[in-house]
Amino acid sequence: MNDLTAAELRVLIAVDGEGTVSAAGARLGLTQSAVSHALRAAERKLGTVLFHRGRGGAQATAAGEAAVGHARHILRLMEVMRADTHTAARGEATGTIRLAAFRSAAFHLLPRVLVRFGQRHPKVTVDVRIVPDLGRGIAGEVADGRADVGVVSLPVYVEGLVCKELYDEPYVLAYPAGHPDPRSLPMIDWHENCSGETRRWLAMQEWIPPGDITVEDDGVVMSMVGHGLGAAIVPRLSTVDAPPKVATTELGDGAPLRRVGYVTTRELTGSALIRDLLTELRTLRAPAGT
């Protein structure tokens, strides 16, 4: 009797996502009274306040944030159980896998993986979201139950996940083609998670000036370089399909590498369907020519 029901778990997620009890009710097709009742029942069963409610809406407490994260995982595992049971009974997989990746991986690495996976599981949908690899980023989406698998830059800064390195690639200097002295150009910075070794290497290079422009997307960086606004240090994968006016050069001995890998939760590795996707991901290599 003290176990939360699936309906109560959905209420926690909806209230957290919508910020008010009434909006959560609209999302779930429930009355405000029904949502409030379910919320109180969940708090009673867990023995703590999960949301502070007031005129400004419903704000999750620290306990509420923890509960919502677990709720997402539990409901997702129930979905995975249903899909795996269907596969075992009928011999054909159905369902949806949620995959998060940084931009260049989604554009240049995942299509060939998803073609092969789709041939093996034609009735499975893979929902791909591009997530900036900043801070908790993609790994945080997996840890918080918003994604099942993430393609990330390693190392990740979120505990409790299963991680595997797939390949590494060098950082290069991208600059406007034809420029005689690329290292003299203004620098275009971009935000991304990178290793401590990479940050230390960058800090030691006296020739690298402070960035005049800072953006969050490496595709925007390549466009700006192509328009002659400066140079940028980026992983080679970011230069695939860059504008024709972008050239690259090596950074020399000791240049840093970006390690690319995947993350998932230990519970989801128990799903045959997730394991099949991870098997396909393990075939990933940097595209030829990078």
Side-chain angles (χ1 to χ4, degrees):
M1 293 296 293
N2 289 326
D3 292 338
L4 272 67
T5 66
E8 289 165 348
L9 297 177
R10 293 188 182 94
V11 164
L12 296 185
I13 295 170
V15 172
D16 181 67
E18 299 298 331
T20 68
V21 171
S22 58
R27 170 172 159 179
L28 296 172
L30 300 173
T31 65
Q32 182 173 336
S33 175
V35 172
S36 295
H37 177 77
L39 197 51
R40 287 193 299 270
E43 291 178 326
R44 183 178 65 255
K45 291 176 181 179
L46 292 177
T48 188
V49 175
L50 301 178
F51 290 88
H52 293 305
R53 275 92 83 188
R55 292 183 178 180
Q59 180 68 40
T61 63
E65 291 178 357
V68 168
H70 285 300
R72 291 195 188 100
H73 284 294
I74 292 167
L75 289 176
R76 181 55 183 153
L77 286 174
M78 292 173 68
E79 294 171 359
V80 170
M81 178 180 68
R82 187 178 299 109
D84 281 353
T85 302
H86 183 278
T87 300
R90 303 187 183 182
E92 184 176 48
T94 60
T96 299
I97 296 177
R98 303 167 304 168
L99 179 59
F102 54 88
R103 187 203 67 87
S104 55
F107 272 79
H108 306 303
L109 298 179
L110 292 183
R112 44 193 162 143
V113 167
L114 297 182
V115 165
R116 292 193 300 268
F117 183 78
Q119 291 170 343
R120 295 174 61 184
H121 301 292
K123 292 191 176 182
V124 174
T125 299
V126 181
D127 179 8
V128 178
R129 284 194 302 123
I130 296 175
V131 177
D133 207 9
L134 306 171
R136 295 179 79 250
I138 296 165
E141 293 294 290
V142 175
D144 293 343
R146 296 185 181 90
D148 303 319
V149 179
V151 178
V152 299
S153 297
L154 298 175
V156 298
Y157 302 96
V158 179
E159 296 182 355
L161 297 177
V162 176
C163 307
K164 181 175 179 59
E165 183 172 346
L166 300 172
Y167 72 89
D168 57 40
E169 60 177 338
Y171 283 81
V172 297
L173 181 65
Y175 64 95
H179 195 280
D181 186 11
R183 294 195 176 200
S184 69
L185 289 166
M187 191 62 59
I188 301 172
D189 285 343
W190 69 297
H191 301 297
E192 74 153 351
N193 286 341
C194 61
S195 67
E197 291 83 357
T198 297
R199 287 191 293 270
R200 285 191 289 272
W201 186 91
L202 293 169
M204 292 172 59
Q205 307 309 303
E206 295 182 356
W207 63 271
I208 300 178
D212 290 345
I213 301 173
T214 303
V215 299
E216 293 186 357
D217 185 282
D218 56 343
V220 176
V221 172
M222 291 297 96
S223 176
M224 290 184 172
V225 172
H227 281 84
L229 291 172
I233 295 175
V234 296
R236 269 190 172 171
L237 184 61
S238 297
T239 69
V240 175
D241 294 338
K245 293 182 180 180
V246 174
T248 63
T249 186
E250 303 294 329
L251 291 171
D253 294 340
L257 298 173
R258 176 168 72 171
R259 297 163 52 211
V260 176
Y262 69 69
V263 295
T264 188
T265 65
R266 194 167 304 280
E267 293 82 5
L268 286 175
T269 59
S271 164
L273 199 56
I274 297 292
R275 289 200 303 271
D276 280 354
L277 178 60
L278 298 182
T279 297
E280 292 297 343
L281 285 174
R282 284 194 286 270
T283 67
L284 275 182
R285 298 293 182 271
T290 65

